[in-house]
C-alpha cells in the first residue's frame, strides 16, 4: 500500500479521461478527504477522451468504495476559445509533425496556463486548497507549460492573484510512463491498472476500436507510442 495521508482537505483534479489524469485522480482520492474534478473542452478534434471521463469516474466509484465516498462534483469548462486562436494538430485535422521551433504541432500555446487558472478559479469557489494535475517533465514532448518551473511559477501567480494558499500537486512530474503504470498498481492494485488500460484514452487520433495489451489506440501516434512503451517497461519490471 502507498503511504497514505488522507486529510479532511479538499482537492480539485484536472481530469481529462486520459491515463495520466486518471492516475492523478486515484492519487488524490488516496490522500484527500474530498476530491472534485474538472475537465476542459477546448475543441479537441476528437472528443473520445472527454467521452471517457464519466465512464472512468463510474468505474472508480464501482471498484473502489473508499474512493467513491470521497469523489464529489465534476465540473466542465468550455475553453473553445483555445481552438479559435490558431492552428494546432490537437484541434484540427492536421498531420502530427515537428515544428521549426522544436515543438510538435500538437502544442497548444498557453493551454496548461489557462487550465490551471480556470482550475484555481473553480477551486477558489469550491474552497479546495489542493489542485492536482498530470504535467510531467520526464517525457513531455518539450511542452514548456509542462515544466516544473512553469507549475511553480503558476502556483505563485495564482496565490498572489487570488490571495489564496493553493498547493499545486504534480505527482507525475519526475516519473516516466512505466512508473505511472506502477503508480496505478501501487494505488489500486491490478484492478486500477486494468481500469486505466481499458477505460482511459490517450491516442491523438481518437482511435478507440483497436485494442492492444496497453489499451485502445492507433498504436502509431506519439501518444500511443509513449503509452505502449511505458506499458512494456512496466510489464518488464
Ligand atoms: Zn494513437
Amino acid at each position: 500500500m502507498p503511504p497514505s495521508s488522507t486529510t479532511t482537505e479538499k482537492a480539485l483534479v484536472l481530469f481529462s479521461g486520459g491515463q495520466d489524469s486518471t492516475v492523478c485522480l486515484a492519487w488524490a482520492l488516496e490522500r484527500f478527504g474530498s476530491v472534485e474534478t474538472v475537465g476542459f473542452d477546448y475543441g479537441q478534434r476528437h472528443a473520445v477522451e472527454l467521452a471517457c471521463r464519466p465512464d472512468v469516474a463510474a468505474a472508480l466509484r464501482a471498484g473502489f468504495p473508499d474512493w467513491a465516498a470521497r469523489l464529489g462534483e465534476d465540473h466542465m469548462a468550455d475553453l473553445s476559445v483555445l481552438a479559435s486562436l490558431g492552428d494546432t494538430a490537437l484541434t484540427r485535422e492536421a498531420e502530427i509533425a515537428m515544428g521549426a521551433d522544436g515543438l510538435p504541432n500538437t502544442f497548444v500555446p498557453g493551454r496548461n496556463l489557462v487550465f490551471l487558472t480556470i482550475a484555481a478559479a473553480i477551486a477558489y469557489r469550491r474552497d479546495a486548497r489542493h489542485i492536482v494535475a498530470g504535467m510531467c517533465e520526464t517525457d513531455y514532448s518539450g511542452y514548456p507549460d509542462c515544466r516544473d518551473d512553469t507549475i511553480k511559477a503558476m502556483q505563485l501567480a495564482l496565490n498572489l492573484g487570488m490571495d489564496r494558499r493553493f498547493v499545486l500537486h504534480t505527482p507525475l512530474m519526475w516519473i516516466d510512463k512505466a512508473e505511472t503504470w506502477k503508480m496505478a498498481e501501487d494505488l489500486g492494485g491490478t484492478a486500477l491498472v486494468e481500469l486505466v488500460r481499458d477505460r482511459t484514452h490517450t491516442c491523438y487520433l481518437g482511435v478507440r476500436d483497436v485494442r492492444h495489451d496497453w489499451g485502445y489506440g492507433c498504436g502509431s501516434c506519439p501518444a500511443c507510442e509513449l503509452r505502449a512503451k511505458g506499458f512494456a517497461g512496466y510489464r518488464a519490471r
Side-chain angles (χ1 to χ4, degrees):
M1 283 298 289
S4 177
S5 59
T6 303
T7 67
T8 54
E9 295 191 358
K10 188 191 269 193
L12 178 69
V13 180
L14 279 68
F15 176 53
S16 68
Q19 174 187 359
D20 289 349
S21 69
T22 298
V23 176
C24 285
L25 178 54
W27 182 90
L29 287 165
E30 189 66 20
R31 268 160 190 79
F32 299 107
S34 65
V35 176
E36 298 190 1
T37 48
V38 57
F40 303 104
D41 187 344
Y42 58 97
Q44 296 94 319
R45 64 180 187 175
H46 300 289
V48 179
E49 193 172 87
L50 285 181
C52 288
R53 297 177 79 253
D55 187 42
V56 171
L60 283 171
R61 282 197 173 91
F64 302 89
D66 289 353
W67 294 350
R70 295 178 205 148
L71 182 54
E73 213 171 300
D74 179 45
H75 311 270
M76 273 302 293
D78 177 3
L79 295 180
S80 49
V81 62
L82 281 176
S84 74
L85 295 178
D87 283 354
T88 157
L90 280 192
T91 53
R92 67 178 182 86
E93 295 294 336
E95 193 80 12
I96 295 169
M98 217 54 166
D101 54 3
L103 283 171
N105 62 349
T106 47
F107 178 58
V108 181
R111 177 176 57 170
N112 286 337
L113 308 182
V114 175
F115 284 3
L116 288 168
T117 303
I118 299 297
I122 294 170
Y124 186 103
R125 298 279 183 209
R126 303 294 301 167
D127 213 19
R129 192 164 91 90
H130 302 274
I131 297 168
V132 183
M135 290 82 173
C136 171
E137 209 176 287
T138 311
D139 41 24
Y140 70 146
S141 308
Y143 293 172
D145 57 348
C146 289
R147 289 187 290 208
D148 193 49
D149 285 350
T150 304
I151 308 303
K152 285 184 163 62
M154 281 303 287
Q155 174 172 302
L156 184 61
L158 293 169
N159 282 332
L160 287 171
M162 297 190 195
D163 196 21
R164 284 286 163 106
R165 294 298 293 170
F166 294 120
V167 184
L168 269 53
H169 301 267
T170 50
L172 311 183
M173 182 57 75
W174 303 113
I175 67 176
D176 63 18
K177 285 279 183 276
E179 291 165 315
T180 303
W181 286 105
K182 178 65 167 62
M183 183 185 281
E185 185 190 316
D186 290 344
L187 287 164
T190 50
L192 186 61
V193 173
E194 283 167 16
L195 187 158
V196 170
R197 188 190 61 198
D198 294 337
R199 297 186 188 262
T200 70
H201 187 85
T202 312
C203 177
Y204 280 151
L205 301 180
V207 174
R208 193 78 199 144
D209 52 357
V210 185
R211 167 77 151 68
H212 310 264
D213 61 348
W214 44 265
Y216 293 90
C218 73
S220 53
C221 76
C224 281
E225 282 181 357
L226 201 56
R227 180 164 164 145
K229 185 167 159 271
F231 193 75
Y234 160 67
R235 275 290 163 84
R237 289 169 71 100

